[in-house]
């Protein structure tokens, strides 16, 4: 039995769910999305809760699919209700960010600027030239965009220069001694 899969998903009042064979359509204030469900799982709505259960509980490989499907549906409901946010901070002399249409322009101490094309479904804001806010309804997409931007200039442990998430702890090292 999947520990995560057994938990029911509470459905907020602003979110509407339509169930059909193998598909779930979710509509919320931030948009709508349609998910495909494995044919080994069944879904039902009772008293503002969505239940996802396996058709055959004896099948051992269903536990992984069951828990993962429940997590994906829960994250989709949360994303369509209020969205997901990540905030990136840039530390370093001359490190700057600017939005130019659908492109994020980063000056990271290289001899050239780094241009990152913003994917559809993601909204970005640049505050104070060193703070980048990433918003979106898809948790995986928001996380992968933040990870990609951080990979352009990872935080180095001696001076702490680079791009990091707000609240991320950076292990600092002591410099060399005489």
């Amino acid at each position: 039995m999947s520990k995560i899969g057994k938990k029911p998903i509470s459905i907020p009042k602003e979110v509407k769910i339509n169930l059909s064979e193998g598909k779930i359509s979710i509509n919320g204030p931030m948009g709508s999305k349609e998910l495909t469900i494995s044919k080994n799982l069944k879904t039902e709505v009772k008293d503002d809760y969505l239940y996802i259960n396996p058709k055959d509980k004896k099948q051992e490989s269903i536990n992984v699919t069951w828990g993962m499907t429940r997590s994906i549906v829960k994250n989709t409901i949360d994303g369509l209700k209020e969205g997901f946010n990540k905030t990136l901070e840039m530390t370093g002399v001359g490190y700057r960010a600017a939005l130019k249409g659908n492109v994020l322009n980063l000056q990271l101490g290289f001899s050239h600027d780094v241009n990152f094309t913003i994917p559809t479904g993601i909204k970005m804001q640049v505050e104070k030239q060193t703070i980048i806010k990433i918003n979106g309804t898809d948790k995986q997409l928001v996380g992968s965009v933040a990870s990609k931007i951080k990979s352009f200039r990872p935080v180095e442990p001696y001076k702490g220069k680079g791009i990091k998430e707000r609240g991320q702890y950076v292990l600092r090292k002591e410099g060399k001694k005489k």
Side-chain angles (χ1 to χ4, degrees):
M1 295 292 284
S2 172
K3 291 181 182 180
I4 295 173
K6 286 191 285 187
K7 296 178 184 176
I9 302 169
S10 91
I11 303 170
K13 293 179 182 175
E14 332 49 84
V15 177
K16 303 290 183 231
I17 293 182
N18 295 323
L19 303 175
S20 61
E21 189 63 34
K23 293 189 179 189
I24 297 179
S25 298
I26 304 170
N27 296 318
M30 303 272 299
S32 63
K33 194 164 187 178
E34 189 170 293
L35 300 173
T36 305
I37 302 294
S38 171
K39 57 186 169 192
N40 297 329
L41 297 172
K42 60 182 177 181
T43 56
E44 60 183 346
V45 176
K46 288 182 185 175
D47 301 327
D48 292 337
Y49 285 97
L50 175 66
Y51 294 91
I52 300 175
N53 294 312
K55 291 181 180 175
D56 181 20
K57 292 187 180 184
K58 294 177 185 173
Q59 189 179 5
E60 289 186 21
S61 64
I62 196 67
N63 285 345
V64 177
T65 308
W66 185 13
M68 181 188 65
T69 302
R70 189 248 182 227
S71 295
I72 290 172
V73 171
K74 173 76 170 124
N75 287 337
T76 303
I77 290 173
D78 291 346
L80 293 176
K81 181 184 173 208
E82 50 196 40
F84 294 102
N85 304 316
K86 289 219 183 238
T87 304
L88 302 179
E89 297 174 340
M90 298 170 43
T91 307
V93 176
Y95 287 17
R96 285 188 213 100
L99 279 174
K100 295 180 180 176
N102 198 29
V103 175
L104 178 68
N105 181 277
L106 300 168
Q107 296 176 353
L108 300 172
F110 298 123
S111 61
H112 60 282
D113 291 354
V114 177
N115 291 320
F116 177 74
T117 305
I118 302 170
T120 57
I122 295 291
K123 296 176 188 160
M124 284 195 189
Q125 296 175 340
V126 176
E127 297 178 357
K128 297 189 210 174
Q129 295 183 341
T130 58
I131 297 174
I132 304 167
K133 291 194 173 187
I134 305 168
N135 302 320
T137 58
D138 188 355
K139 186 175 186 177
Q140 181 182 1
L141 185 60
V142 170
S144 67
V145 166
S147 176
K148 180 69 175 169
I149 293 173
K150 289 191 313 184
S151 73
F152 292 137
R153 193 60 118 167
V155 179
E156 56 98 10
Y158 295 102
K159 291 185 178 179
K161 292 170 34 173
I163 304 173
K164 67 178 183 123
E165 285 188 39
R166 180 169 279 165
Q168 176 183 344
Y169 179 74
V170 177
L171 182 66
R172 299 290 298 269
K173 292 183 178 178
E174 186 176 345
K176 67 180 183 179
K177 298 178 183 178
K178 291 185 181 182

